[in-house]
Amino acid sequence: MGLRVAAIVVRHLFLYRRSLARAGEVFFWPVMDLLVWGFLTRYLQEHEIPLGVGWLLGGVIFWDILYRSQQAITLSLHEEIWVRNVLNVFLSPLSMGEYLLATSLMGIIKATLTLAVLGSLAYLFYAFNIWTMGLALVPFVACLLLFGWAVGMVTMAIILRYGQAAEALVWGVPFLLQPFSAVFYPLEALPAGAQVFSRLLPSTYVFEGMRAALTTGAVEGRLLATAFLLDLIYLAFGAAFFAWMFRIVQEKGYLSRLGME
Amino acid sequence: MSDATVIQVEGLTKRFGDLVAVDNLSFSVQRGEILGLLGPNGAGKTTTIQMMLGLTTPTAGTVRILGMDIRRHRREILQRVNFSSAYVALPSNLTVLENLTVFAWLYGIRRPRKRIEALLELFEIPQVLHQITGALSSGQQTRVNLCKAFLNDPEVLFLDEPTASLDPDIAEKVRSTLLHIQKERGVTMVYTSHNMREVELVCDRLLFLSRGKVIASGTPKEVIRRARSRSLEDVFIRIARGGVLVDTQQPEED
């Protein structure tokens, strides 16, 4: 099992080493995000507009962790579709569970790199030190990774079912969640109806918890525990949805079409 | 299922709504045999192969490969089987060595370098080892794909138009190498191609499908003789145009 999982991880690491477009996904776009929001933060500070200093930058960094985690799963599959390698992979002894595990590991690698790069640049450019959160970063990041995997499984299942027609979902799905995850503003900034939906997302509790930790220096265990609990529910739902869709894909013979379309 | 029977298909059926893509298909393939699965587009051969490899769930029927049911033992079977298609590619921005290493690992080969070099040598392309796969000629890419297919020393090999898009010279080289390996290692092959001349040269036995059913079977010479045609190409054209074949309805052997 280990060797097969390693094979998929290494296959994507080889690609990232050689493809500027793929490497850009880990480095270029997150850094661009950081610059845009960083300059905005600095402008607001210079004009003495009251703002939690780290809210925007912390939001950018944490959001990118969730985004990269989801993308690691969906882009890995999409990459195989683009290069017509799907059948080679799924006609090897690799199980779907091993494939999901391998792509989830890719999520950890990408999120770690993103955190390291953005955390360092935020400190250098804007004197924002996310590392002051210390070990408290670990559970926050873990919650975001888990939610990213759950969203990734659902997205991957839809791509398996609908093929290239569902390509936009790879990038689009996380942004459907972003407005309701209270990434850049507190939960109470949302309309009452939207807050109900927001409270169902683990990411909301992570971003609320991050703001609390950056403001008071203390981690609110209740927020983290809620996020973890919701993560487990979403992971279970994601796995069940994936299994259901995969059964349909096998019934209809879509996997083969996907490999050659 | 005797020891010599490597593939046993029984009552295989696939319906997509009202459409019967594969209709109660039964056949077997013996160890070391090369079976040509032929038919016009829409005949049901792709769906048949998909079900044989566990990609598509049959509506009815069973597929046993190497004595195991594909639905229950898919992974064990795939460990001993491989596949190559002209329509499936290896990642283009990885080197040949990287690609083949990844697939060797997927098949559980921990240190594959020597095996990769030997296969590239066998297919007469040792110079491509460190080259980017996407930069190779189509003939080289096809042969690299075939190297992938032989990485795990398969007992059964599914080849989907392996020489499509190759020039006649390279196609002949690929055919010769495949036949050489097949004879040397006794690999059982299921072969699809639209090149009837090639099918005649390569396949021991043929199954012609039309509308999901076997409408002709036997050695290439038998099929031509029974159809009272001059060549396999004629047989193919008649089947594709809906013509009735004479004296070709052979009951399938067990």
Side-chain angles (χ1 to χ4, degrees), chain B residues 64-206:
Chain B
R64 292 180 73 79
I65 297 178
L66 298 164
M68 294 175 280
D69 187 304
I70 188 70
R71 293 186 71 180
R72 288 185 191 160
H73 302 279
R74 185 168 185 265
R75 179 189 277 196
E76 293 97 311
I77 291 170
L78 290 178
Q79 184 67 49
R80 296 163 63 185
V81 167
N82 215 314
F83 155 89
S84 181
S85 167
Y87 307 106
V88 174
L90 292 169
S92 54
N93 23 17
L94 270 59
T95 67
V96 169
L97 177 61
E98 287 168 348
N99 265 321
L100 294 179
T101 300
V102 166
F103 278 96
W105 285 11
L106 285 175
Y107 285 95
I109 305 161
R110 207 165 277 276
R111 289 187 182 79
R113 179 70 181 254
K114 278 187 180 165
R115 175 138 192 85
I116 290 168
E117 286 175 348
L119 283 167
L120 290 174
E121 195 74 51
L122 188 64
F123 280 95
E124 300 178 24
I125 45 168
Q127 72 281 8
V128 305
L129 184 68
H130 295 291
Q131 289 182 28
I132 299 290
T133 308
L136 303 179
S137 69
S138 60
Q140 288 171 327
Q141 287 189 25
T142 298
R143 284 180 279 176
V144 172
N145 283 342
L146 287 167
C147 288
K148 187 277 312 177
F150 281 102
L151 272 172
N152 60 330
D153 204 3
E155 291 166 69
V156 183
L157 190 55
F158 288 81
L159 295 172
D160 179 24
E161 302 199 44
T163 61
S165 82
L166 297 183
D167 69 47
D169 173 46
I170 302 293
E172 198 281 324
K173 276 185 181 169
V174 166
R175 268 196 307 272
S176 304
T177 311
L178 283 174
L179 288 172
H180 168 75
I181 299 173
Q182 191 272 336
K183 282 202 171 63
E184 194 179 80
R185 303 180 192 181
V187 185
T188 306
M189 294 185 186
V190 176
Y191 202 96
T192 72
S193 175
H194 284 135
N195 180 341
M196 293 301 110
R197 177 77 191 125
E198 175 173 286
V199 166
E200 233 175 306
L201 288 169
V202 171
C203 297
D204 299 316
R205 194 161 57 90
L206 308 177

Side-chain angles (χ1 to χ4, degrees), chain A residues 9-71:
Chain A
V9 172
V10 165
R11 176 256 184 277
H12 289 284
L13 291 179
F14 281 149
L15 176 68
Y16 280 84
R17 200 177 60 179
R18 194 157 292 117
S19 164
L20 260 183
R22 291 280 85 78
E25 180 209 322
V26 178
F27 299 107
F28 182 76
W29 297 116
V31 170
M32 288 299 109
D33 269 349
L34 183 78
L35 290 178
V36 169
W37 289 99
F39 288 131
L40 176 67
T41 308
R42 199 154 71 182
Y43 173 83
L44 294 172
Q45 281 177 315
E46 282 167 4
H47 289 74
E48 296 177 347
I49 296 168
L51 182 79
V53 174
W55 287 21
L56 286 180
L57 292 176
V60 169
I61 294 171
F62 272 33
W63 171 252
D64 249 303
I65 290 168
L66 170 60
Y67 189 58
R68 299 301 145 202
S69 166
Q70 179 266 354
Q71 290 243 307

Side-chain angles (χ1 to χ4, degrees), chain A residues 114-155:
Chain A
T114 300
L115 181 63
V117 171
L118 294 191
S120 305
L121 291 180
Y123 182 68
L124 278 175
F125 293 164
Y126 309 113
F128 169 66
N129 191 355
I130 197 152
W131 312 116
T132 54
M133 287 179 73
L135 283 178
L137 268 174
V138 176
F140 282 114
V141 169
C143 279
L144 291 170
L145 281 172
L146 292 175
F147 189 43
W149 293 342
V151 177
M153 275 196 284
V154 171
T155 320

